[in-house]
Amino acid sequence: MQNINNQTATLPIDRNTESYAEEAMLSAPMQHLPDMSLLTEEERQQILVDWNATTRAYPLEGRLHQLIEAQVEYTPDSLAVLFEDMSLTYQELNRRANQLACYLQGLGVGPDVLVGVYMERSLEMVIGLLGILKAGGAYVPLDPTYPSERLAFMLEDLASDATTRQLVLLTQSHLLARLPANSASVLCLDADWGRLAQEETANPACVTTAAHLAYVIYTSGSTGKPKGAMNTHRGICNRLLWMQEAYQLTETDAVLQKTPFSFDVSVWEFFWPLLAGARLVIARPEGHKDSAYLLATIWQQQITTLHFVPSMLQVFLEEPGLEECSSLRQVMCSGESLSYELQQRFFARHPAALHNLYGPTEAAIDVTFWACQRNSERHIVPIGRPIANTQLYILNSDGQPVPVGERGELYIGGVGVARGYLNRPE
């Protein structure tokens, strides 16, 4: 985890850590050393309370799909999703997702039941994700570009989940031959749509609570086998409502969805525009790797908001004609460390706002935010401060908060923290 102590306001306290530690030991000589605080009361108040005063009164008992259903009622005929030469209005998207939800409920999908999604970016993918949520289930991305060994492990892990009867798997007909051997009930959203089209188009009754799962995304497995991080409706709703409050999409905005859906950034790319009445523009499969294609899409579709990992932003900034993308008003960065040099290169090429976000898969996307500053004298780009209803603590190896400027590990608290790892309660 990154140390953020030197990236926030410094305490107006002149103190010597060693002398304060000596005073603390003398005042309580029988206290266990790991339990001894090296902070003054003023420091504890500022670090633990003041810097974590993030409470917002969001409607966190709602569910993610209900936020989108509310927008459907408001703008039913507005364009919701665009993929190449195909599109859906808010009402069309909602009706198709409702039909899928009814069908999935007939297969036993309900609260905390996991549904695998083995699909490429498409209109069907958006319908699939929203339909799973409406059915009461939680979606699990299974990226077709993953190695077969990783996919086989994930399918086996999902099939062994105690809350799932027979695993239901959504896919597309052209991907069937690449699907590893499994025992799932497979549904092709393109070839099998005739069956789904017979279902009801009205919103199904909501069967979930805010504590139920919305999605499970597997970690990279860099520290061992991949683990499925289980995120709830409450956590993701808090994250998206904060994002809307902070960055304020409107019906005139267009968000480019280009992050592979096996990464949690894709969650806000899919759902944030749909709860705000904006347009969701889906990049073609593998399009996120082609900076020339991305530039053309931004210009053609008048994209206003998109995300880059810093390494791809570096490549994107090499494209000629970036200055002509006048529609672009805000760029989000996360997933890697954003360097000061890259920040400055961005500002030299484009007038859009640049935001640095940070968060692990084990929380609902991002937990910190920072608005990059064009004329900043800092020569680092901070990860910033905690988002709404989130707490951050930098602790030492004994679990005690460290003074400002000292190194420690970043601990995250609040409604966005995932429920745990799938099938790994330990």
Side-chain angles (χ1 to χ4, degrees):
M1 295 291 186
Q2 300 183 42
N3 178 10
I4 63 168
N5 264 349
N6 61 352
Q7 301 173 356
T8 53
T10 55
L11 285 168
I13 297 173
D14 183 15
R15 47 97 85 193
N16 182 288
T17 301
E18 290 184 6
S19 62
Y20 183 79
E22 291 173 359
E23 292 175 11
M25 286 186 285
L26 289 172
S27 63
M30 302 306 292
Q31 188 175 19
H32 289 266
L33 189 60
D35 299 329
M36 187 171 294
S37 174
L38 299 181
L39 304 178
T40 67
E41 287 304 314
E42 293 87 351
E43 287 175 311
R44 289 185 67 85
Q45 172 68 27
Q46 189 153 31
I47 290 174
L48 300 183
V49 179
D50 296 346
W51 287 352
N52 282 299
T54 62
T55 301
R56 297 287 192 281
Y58 297 150
L60 296 183
E61 293 311 306
R63 270 67 91 200
L64 176 53
H65 54 282
Q66 290 180 319
L67 297 178
I68 297 169
E69 288 170 355
Q71 185 60 46
V72 172
E73 291 295 315
Y74 187 63
T75 57
D77 299 320
S78 296
L79 183 60
V81 189
L82 179 69
F83 174 69
E84 297 186 331
D85 60 347
M86 298 174 287
S87 64
L88 293 171
T89 66
Y90 272 85
Q91 188 171 71
E92 289 169 338
L93 171 63
N94 194 57
R95 286 176 173 174
R96 294 195 190 189
N98 289 341
Q99 290 174 316
L100 175 59
C102 291
Y103 191 88
L104 291 176
Q105 287 178 336
L107 297 178
V109 174
D112 283 351
V113 173
L114 307 182
V115 179
V117 182
Y118 181 73
M119 302 179 73
E120 291 181 328
R121 270 194 295 267
S122 57
L123 290 185
E124 289 90 358
M125 177 183 278
V126 182
I127 294 167
L129 302 185
L130 184 54
I132 292 167
L133 296 175
K134 284 171 168 281
Y139 75 86
V140 186
L142 300 166
D143 194 325
T145 65
Y146 276 164
S148 58
E149 296 81 6
R150 177 180 170 93
L151 287 169
F153 168 81
M154 293 166 68
L155 285 166
E156 182 180 354
D157 196 40
L158 290 175
S160 65
D161 174 39
T163 64
T164 301
R165 301 169 188 175
Q166 182 183 26
L167 177 66
V168 177
L169 183 62
L170 305 186
T171 188
Q172 295 157 301
S173 54
H174 68 279
L175 296 176
L176 279 174
R178 293 159 51 184
L179 187 62
N182 64 88
S183 58
S185 174
V186 178
L187 181 65
C188 293
L189 289 194
D190 48 1
D192 294 334
W193 189 259
R195 280 188 282 161
L196 304 177
Q198 307 304 312
E199 300 289 344
E200 290 289 331
T201 60
N203 292 335
C206 186
V207 295
T208 52
T209 70
H212 284 123
L213 297 179
Y215 66 91
V216 173
I217 288 182
Y218 277 79
T219 62
S220 64
S222 58
T223 58
K225 291 183 178 180
K227 298 182 289 294
M230 303 187 293
N231 284 275
T232 66
H233 280 270
R234 182 178 289 113
I236 187 57
C237 285
N238 181 77
R239 171 60 177 74
L240 295 179
L241 291 170
W242 165 80
M243 198 169 199
Q244 178 60 8
E245 181 183 28
Y247 306 120
Q248 299 182 1
L249 289 183
T250 72
E251 295 175 23
T252 64
D253 281 295
V255 176
L256 182 60
Q257 199 292 302
K258 67 180 186 63
T259 303
F261 76 143
S262 53
F263 292 94
D264 61 357
V265 166
S266 67
V267 181
W268 72 250
E269 288 180 336
F270 279 117
F271 297 115
W272 179 31
L274 294 179
L275 65 84
R279 283 184 298 126
L280 169 59
V281 180
I282 306 294
R284 71 189 183 197
E286 298 298 291
H288 61 285
K289 300 177 181 178
D290 185 343
S291 58
Y293 162 77
L294 294 176
L295 188 70
T297 302
I298 293 167
W299 184 79
Q300 292 166 2
Q301 299 301 332
Q302 292 296 285
I303 300 298
T304 65
T305 304
L306 79 164
H307 173 272
F308 281 106
V309 293
S311 55
M312 187 61 196
L313 180 61
Q314 180 90 27
V315 175
F316 181 72
L317 291 178
E318 300 292 335
E319 286 294 324
L322 173 59
E323 297 85 353
E324 298 175 13
C325 293
S326 57
S327 63
L328 191 60
R329 70 179 183 88
Q330 53 189 358
V331 173
M332 313 297 177
C333 269
S334 67
E336 300 167 353
S337 177
L338 176 60
S339 70
Y340 173 78
E341 291 73 21
L342 184 55
Q343 171 190 267
Q344 297 308 99
R345 283 197 61 220
F346 176 86
F347 285 144
R349 291 292 316 271
H350 203 277
L354 182 65
H355 299 278
N356 192 34
L357 308 176
Y358 166 79
T361 309
E362 292 85 351
I365 321 177
D366 303 303
V367 296
T368 72
F369 70 106
W370 177 260
C372 296
Q373 301 165 4
R374 291 180 178 272
N375 301 312
S376 173
E377 295 182 358
R378 300 173 185 262
H379 286 271
I380 60 168
V381 182
I383 62 171
R385 295 183 176 275
I387 71 166
N389 300 311
T390 301
Q391 295 80 46
L392 300 179
Y393 306 100
I394 300 179
L395 309 180
N396 62 22
S397 58
D398 295 316
Q400 292 293 322
V402 299
V404 172
E406 298 294 325
R407 292 183 177 273
E409 289 191 315
L410 179 60
Y411 282 70
I412 302 166
V415 299
V417 177
R419 186 193 292 179
Y421 293 118
L422 180 66
N423 299 327
R424 289 163 177 77
E426 72 280 7

